[in-house]
Amino acid sequence: MATMKDIARIAKVSTSTVSHVINNSRFVSDEIREKVLAVVEELNYSPSALARSLKVNETRTIGMLVTASDNPFFSEIIRYVEQYCHSYNYNLILSYADGNNERLQKNIQTLIQKKVDGLILMCSESHWNISDDINHQLTLPMVIMDWWPTELNADKIIENSELGGYLATKALIDKGYTKIAIITAGIKKFLAQNRLEGYKKALKEANLAINSDWIIESHANFQDGFNAMQKLLKKQPLPKAVFACSDTIAIGAYQAIWQAGLKIPQDMAVIGYDDIHIAQFLAPPLTTINQPKKELAKKAVETLLARIKNNNPPYQKIILDPVLKLRKSI
């Protein structure tokens, strides 16, 4: 494999001159530049990424740590994050914790050992407890997307979840529904709490009573959505509409409603949250709140790259607004 020394010997220039030409780090005359580049092409020289990273203390690699979830919302976010990393000539190393604290700690150590330039953190489960040992290791430039269960020195990219909860509930009210239930998505998460507050705000604004029996706590996955809807269907009086605080909950609710011999929206209206890709292909297509996933990913990558250049406070909280996607389930 050719080296800079080989290029310098053949081009009859110094190794530092070759380095300046390849890295475009200092002025070199056109004549010498052309001579060096001709040898580079002749030898099919490719700079060592490892050698460069050791020299400039930069690997142009971002780590993304995601706790396990069957929620397609997170996989869609990850796809956009990878696209934006690629557009900025960064590589993405994706690491799943699979619901295991020990594995989470090991994955963090692995990412640090790989000398990633920064981390994007995204926790999908509200029941996670992150140990102090893990938090003490998180000293790299970081951006939190969606949620993380502990406070860290990191920028945060989130959506306006109270507005989203309000828009979802108001959409049902505007369609004439007055008996509206909610299935939450892990009440420990402040985003879930905010969606619940948005729900209550819309009901109060419309002078509708808040029925505590119609507030069902759940988690953002298909099975919990199914179980929560089954509980709701046993309530008396029965609500006529349900706000599922994630599309995965809504899909589980669809199954429970179907098994009960009911129809959507004739017997039970359903509105979801996230606008995952499959939502538009359900029968009937799911009305939902669209999180700006592409914009969330773009902001996360751009904010992290800025943080890598300057890892000093203050830390930002960037909030993006969701929008209603009206379909046929209400």
Side-chain angles (χ1 to χ4, degrees), residues 238-254:
L238 189 68
K240 293 296 182 181
V242 59
F243 166 30
C245 285
S246 82
D247 287 349
T248 48
I249 290 174
I251 291 170
Y254 263 51

Side-chain angles (χ1 to χ4, degrees), residues 25 56 82 91 95 113 125 141 189 217 223 252 264 270 324:
S25 54
V56 302
E82 197 281 330
N91 295 311
S95 180
Q113 288 166 4
E125 290 86 10
K189 296 174 69 170
E217 187 173 348
Q223 186 62 54
I264 302 171
V270 181
L324 173 69

Side-chain angles (χ1 to χ4, degrees), residues 65-275:
L65 195 62
V66 184
T67 61
S69 175
D70 64 354
N71 189 337
F73 167 75
F74 295 100
S75 61
E76 292 177 22
I77 284 280
I78 290 165
R79 180 165 62 90
Y80 287 126
V81 167
E82 197 281 330
Q83 287 177 7
Y84 282 110
C85 285
H86 179 74
S87 71
Y88 286 102
N89 295 315
Y90 271 75
N91 295 311
L92 180 69
I93 299 178
L94 183 61
S95 180
Y96 284 99
D98 200 25
N100 186 300
N101 243 25
E102 186 178 336
R103 182 171 173 183
L104 175 66
Q105 186 159 338
K106 184 177 180 181
N107 288 354
I108 288 171
Q109 291 170 347
T110 299
L111 290 170
I112 292 171
Q113 288 166 4
K114 288 184 179 294
K115 296 189 178 298
V116 296
D117 297 333
L119 285 173
I120 295 175
L121 306 175
M122 191 162 62
C123 184
S124 50
E125 290 86 10
S126 60
H127 58 271
W128 263 70
N129 292 312
I130 306 298
S131 71
D132 288 339
D133 287 343
I134 291 174
N135 286 328
H136 290 155
Q137 293 178 63
L138 294 172
T139 58
L140 291 169
M142 291 180 294
V143 166
I144 294 170
M145 291 187 72
D146 191 65
W147 184 70
W148 192 257
T150 58
E151 278 299 317
L152 295 171
N153 292 327
D155 299 299
K156 298 179 179 67
I157 315 293
I158 61 175
E159 50 95 26
N160 189 339
S161 45
E162 182 172 339
L163 173 62
Y166 173 82
L167 291 175
T169 311
K170 190 173 186 303
L172 292 167
I173 294 169
D174 289 346
K175 287 289 185 178
Y177 296 99
T178 57
K179 299 178 179 179
I180 303 169
I182 182 172
I183 302 175
T184 69
I187 207 65
K188 280 178 64 178
K189 296 174 69 170
F190 72 89
L191 295 174
Q193 295 169 10
N194 290 347
R195 290 173 195 174
L196 177 59
E197 288 305 310
Y199 160 83
K200 291 178 178 179
K201 179 181 177 181
L203 291 180
K204 289 176 182 176
E205 189 179 89
N207 294 316
L208 297 175
I210 297 171
N211 187 336
S212 59
D213 280 349
W214 292 347
I215 300 175
I216 307 294
E217 187 173 348
S218 184
H219 296 284
N221 61 67
F222 303 110
Q223 186 62 54
D224 279 8
F226 174 81
N227 295 341
M229 193 68 221
Q230 283 195 319
K231 289 180 184 177
L232 197 54
L233 290 173
K234 294 175 183 177
K235 301 292 184 180
Q236 291 297 330
L238 189 68
K240 293 296 182 181
V242 59
F243 166 30
C245 285
S246 82
D247 287 349
T248 48
I249 290 174
I251 291 170
Y254 263 51
Q255 177 71 2
I257 292 166
W258 175 77
Q259 286 191 15
L262 303 176
K263 292 184 178 180
I264 302 171
Q266 293 90 331
D267 300 309
M268 182 70 68
V270 181
I271 187 168
Y273 205 108
D274 291 335
D275 196 22

